Amino acid sequence: MDHLLPGGIALGAGLLGAFLLRLLLRRLAVHARRTRWSGDDVIVAALRTVAPWAAVAGGVAGAAAALPLTRAVRHNVNQVLTVLLIFVVTVTAARVVAGLVRTVTTSRSGVAGSATIFVNITRVLVLAIGFLVMLQTLGVSIAPMLTALGVGGLAVALALQDTLANLFAGIHILASKTVQPGDYIRLSSGEEGYVEDINWRQTTVRELSNNLVVIPNGQLAKSNMTNFMRPEQRLTVLVQAGVSYDRDLDHVERVTAEVVAEVMTEVGGAVPDHEPAIRFHTFGDSRIGFTVILGVGEFSDQYRIKHEFIKRLHKRYRAEGIRIPSPARTVALQQGAVVLPQQRSGEDTVALP
């Protein structure tokens, strides 16, 4: 009976410690929910699981030390408690690491949809390490198991070479943020469109024709790619035009700039604060060529903006009397032969009515 009192005190202290820890961690959980970072919620939730169990295990271990148990029984009790504590710590650590990984991945745009792959990988790694530590604690040699896992892993890696290549390529793409869902990309092989989804094996791209193109991640990682959404979504497009030699270029530039400003303000998808830019660059055979630089909000907007700009520029040029010459050729037949003289000058072209 003299030995039962210290054992009961130790067990009661362990249970009381577990109760107090739960109360303390409950208060910490309320405080953690008020913060912006969600990682502290994950940590506190994990501690609410492991800390009370650790206190109970400590109380049981103290009670076992106080009781007159044989060495074998005491060793078995301590071993069971150690294995139980390792199991609880491993599950808690896997939960904490997986929760932190999920928090980090979901906070990054484009990675949230594929966060499960990172969470599952980290959870499996932590659980595997805890399982090996548990076996080592029980006296089971893990060296043969590690050897078998190494040989088996090599065989699996050789058999699933393409699958693993796509897996690690997908992880690299998501982690580096070179491509994210919603981006418009163009590959050197010709495929282009909006990225719909990136998972562990493949990337799905929706073309402007609304067709889906499925690209293995390994091929995407090795291909030369243009991302029209990076480093920013806005971009500029070039429209080539030309006027006849007899026109006043200052007048042409002023009229064109007014049309550009009108399109940028009134057409959806344009950039209202875009500064009109007109650059003359070529003395052609029949006209002086120039480039008009337009600002668009994102890649697919350029088609509508070009459409509206060309219509309005053509209408304005007709109203201002600015000629848009077209090249002309003369075909002459001489003794059965076809003679193609050089292209005529702009003076021989037909002006717009």
Side-chain angles (χ1 to χ4, degrees):
M1 295 294 295
D2 295 336
H3 299 285
L4 295 178
L5 182 60
I9 293 175
L11 183 59
L15 293 176
L16 179 61
F19 177 73
L20 294 177
L21 284 173
R22 285 192 65 86
L23 291 180
L24 176 62
L25 290 172
R26 182 179 298 174
R27 291 178 175 270
L28 288 177
V30 173
H31 178 71
R33 283 194 291 268
R34 299 174 182 172
T35 61
R36 292 184 178 181
W37 186 49
S38 58
D40 53 0
D41 298 317
V42 176
I43 296 175
V44 173
L47 290 176
R48 291 181 65 180
T49 302
V50 68
W53 280 104
V56 172
V60 173
L67 293 175
L69 302 176
T70 62
R71 180 178 300 179
V73 173
R74 185 172 296 156
H75 173 73
N76 291 334
V77 170
N78 290 334
Q79 196 172 41
V80 170
L81 291 176
T82 303
V83 170
L84 178 62
L85 190 58
I86 292 174
F87 174 76
V88 174
V89 170
T90 301
V91 173
T92 304
R95 185 181 302 174
V96 170
V97 175
L100 292 177
V101 171
R102 185 183 297 277
T103 300
V104 173
T105 51
T106 52
S107 64
R108 302 178 64 181
S109 60
V111 187
S114 302
T116 305
I117 181 175
F118 299 103
V119 173
N120 290 337
I121 290 175
T122 53
R123 182 184 288 118
V124 169
L125 288 177
V126 174
L127 291 177
I129 294 173
F131 178 71
L132 293 177
V133 173
M134 191 182 303
L135 291 180
Q136 189 71 26
T137 303
L138 293 174
V140 179
S141 178
I142 62 175
M145 186 178 299
L146 292 177
T147 303
L149 288 175
V151 175
L154 179 60
V156 171
L158 292 176
L160 302 176
Q161 185 175 0
D162 294 337
T163 302
L164 292 176
N166 291 327
L167 171 63
F168 289 109
I171 295 175
H172 170 71
I173 291 171
L174 289 171
S176 62
K177 298 180 68 176
T178 54
V179 181
Q180 298 184 41
D183 290 352
Y184 192 96
I185 63 173
R186 177 184 295 160
L187 304 183
S188 57
S189 54
E191 296 88 351
E192 64 176 270
Y194 288 97
V195 178
E196 289 283 313
D197 180 52
I198 305 174
N199 56 35
W200 65 272
R201 183 179 179 274
Q202 62 198 19
T203 298
T204 305
V205 175
R206 182 179 297 275
E207 297 181 323
L208 293 179
S209 59
N210 214 31
N211 297 322
L212 290 179
V213 179
V214 178
I215 306 171
N217 289 331
Q219 178 182 341
L220 181 65
K222 293 186 295 184
S223 175
N224 294 330
M225 177 185 62
T226 302
N227 191 334
F228 292 95
M229 300 293 190
R230 308 290 167 186
E232 61 177 317
Q233 187 170 333
R234 290 184 176 184
L235 68 154
T236 57
V237 295
L238 309 180
V239 178
Q240 304 298 328
V243 294
S244 60
Y245 278 87
D246 59 352
R247 297 297 96 186
D248 182 1
L249 297 186
D250 290 332
H251 181 220
V252 171
E253 184 176 8
R254 183 171 60 256
V255 171
T256 306
E258 292 175 359
V259 175
V260 173
E262 177 185 321
V263 171
M264 292 295 100
T265 304
E266 299 178 2
V267 180
V271 181
D273 57 351
H274 172 75
E275 183 179 355
I278 298 96
R279 299 292 182 264
F280 296 96
H281 55 73
T282 305
F283 288 102
D285 293 334
S286 60
R287 62 181 183 171
I288 297 178
F290 62 93
T291 300
V292 182
I293 304 175
L294 305 175
V296 298
E298 62 104 0
F299 185 84
S300 62
D301 293 332
Q302 62 176 305
Y303 303 105
R304 179 175 61 257
I305 294 172
K306 283 183 179 180
H307 169 77
E308 287 294 331
F309 172 72
I310 291 174
K311 285 201 314 180
R312 299 188 185 199
L313 185 66
H314 180 259
K315 182 179 179 180
R316 184 67 184 277
Y317 278 5
R318 294 181 64 179
E320 296 288 338
I322 299 175
R323 295 193 303 166
I324 305 177
S326 57
R329 290 181 179 274
T330 301
V331 179
L333 297 178
Q334 296 180 358
Q335 297 181 354
V338 179
V339 179
L340 297 177
Q342 293 184 349
Q343 194 175 22
R344 290 184 179 181
S345 65
E347 299 175 352
D348 297 327
T349 58
V350 179
L352 291 171

